[in-house]
Amino acid sequence: MVDVSDLVEFQRHLDGAHHIAITSHRSPDADAVGTSLALARYLRSTGKEVTCLLPDAPDEALDWMTGVNDIVLFDRDPGQAQEALHRADVLFALDYNGMGRLGPMKDAAESATGTWLMVDHHMGPEDFPTARVHDARCSSTAELLWGVIAGLGGKEAVDATTAGLLYAGMMTDTGSFRFNSVSAETHRVVAAMMDQGLNHTAVHEAIFGEQPMDRMKLHAFAVVERMEVYPEFQTAFVHLTAEDMERFHYRPGYTEGLVNKALGVSGVKVAVFAKQSSDRVKMSFRSVGQFSVRDFAEKHFDGGGHHNAAGGASKESIGVVMARLRGLLPEIAAGITAAEEADA
Ligand code: 5GP
Ligand code: MN
């Protein structure tokens, strides 16, 4: 939920601002991109000049999002990105709360001189923003951002397009409204957006409706050839090498959802997906129940996120990472048992 005193601060900083930069995290997902574009639409409706910036490109699965092609990508256009960051009177940090999540854009963001405002739902926010709307219990940044826009008096400026952008973030971060993090407020926000003309079916179709054959084959290959299930440790791993991804003509977004296939195996309580990318191995961690994958990711792989969904990375090779994960199986199993006993 959004605290009114935080909004008073937001309003004060926005009142004096002309140029606004909206930033979100590396490997941006639907919550990151949807909230950036939705906030930009709202702020432009109030007469502000707004630039959206991301460290790197979103998945092609988000190509349908109105305005996505106008986002300045730091890895493609560092000069333009630097200029927008430095010109901004106010900078928004959406869906992340540590500068490290900006990857290659971190240094440029840190040298910006405007006022930082944050809207985020990850645990453990850093203190770089002057004001923030932060709730780690909230299921998505999009849900919080609806509260921000409505609280600033902008509810009527949310048209069907803006509502669709927010709904995309809410739907994906909640696993289509099935995770524990979903609250009555989540559904109240959806209801309010439906009153503003939201077409939820169109958003679901755009994200989950169809997929390239290569992606489907990559998932099938990963499940058949690269999934390791350890029933005695209630854990499953899936990994993809650079060659695997080349074989199926990998495009950004192709591996989205793979970690949930591992988590969906009967008896599995912790799942890890690891893939080789250009300069690192990127991992997704998921759990059901009390085992905190956030703590695990933070301890072993310089990561973070949420209790049941987290991420991390390593500069080691995929082979070394997988060997390290297998070595951690007893620790994971002990962690699951301890968490269950604490819960009992
Ligand atoms: P995903 O596995 O979907 O990429 O990420 C799951 C969650 O963990 C998301 O909330 C995401 O923001 C967070 N996350 C992913 N990668 C990292 C990382 O490297 N560091 C931190 N702190 N959080 C991450
Ligand atoms: Mn999010």
Side-chain angles (χ1 to χ4, degrees), residues 5 31 69 109 112 172 182-183 189 200 240 274 304-305 326:
S5 61
D31 199 27
N69 293 321
T172 52
V182 171
S183 66
V189 169
H200 65 283
L240 289 170
R326 290 178 201 114

Side-chain angles (χ1 to χ4, degrees), residues 7 53 55 70 94 134-135 138 153 229 234 246 249 317 319 326:
L7 290 183
L53 300 126
D70 301 326
L94 298 185
H134 182 269
D135 183 355
C138 188
V229 182
Q234 297 177 287
E246 236 165 76
H249 314 108
S317 71
R326 290 178 201 114

Side-chain angles (χ1 to χ4, degrees), residues 25 29-32 35 94-96 120-122 138-142 169-170 172-173 306:
H25 59 79
D29 57 7
D31 199 27
T35 52
L94 298 185
D95 198 41
Y96 74 97
D120 180 57
H121 69 132
H122 296 90
C138 188
S139 62
S140 64
T141 298
M170 294 180 69
T172 52
D173 267 27
H306 311 284

Side-chain angles (χ1 to χ4, degrees), residues 98-127:
M99 286 281 183
R101 295 280 285 138
L102 294 178
M105 198 164 84
K106 178 175 185 266
D107 291 347
E110 278 176 344
S111 66
T113 53
T115 302
W116 280 96
L117 305 179
M118 178 188 284
V119 184
D120 180 57
H121 69 132
H122 296 90
M123 288 189 260
E126 289 177 2
D127 60 9

Side-chain angles (χ1 to χ4, degrees), residues 280-291:
R280 57 184 191 157
V281 170
K282 182 80 189 114
M283 278 159 277
S284 289
F285 303 90
R286 298 289 187 274
S287 65
V288 284
Q290 292 305 315
F291 182 85

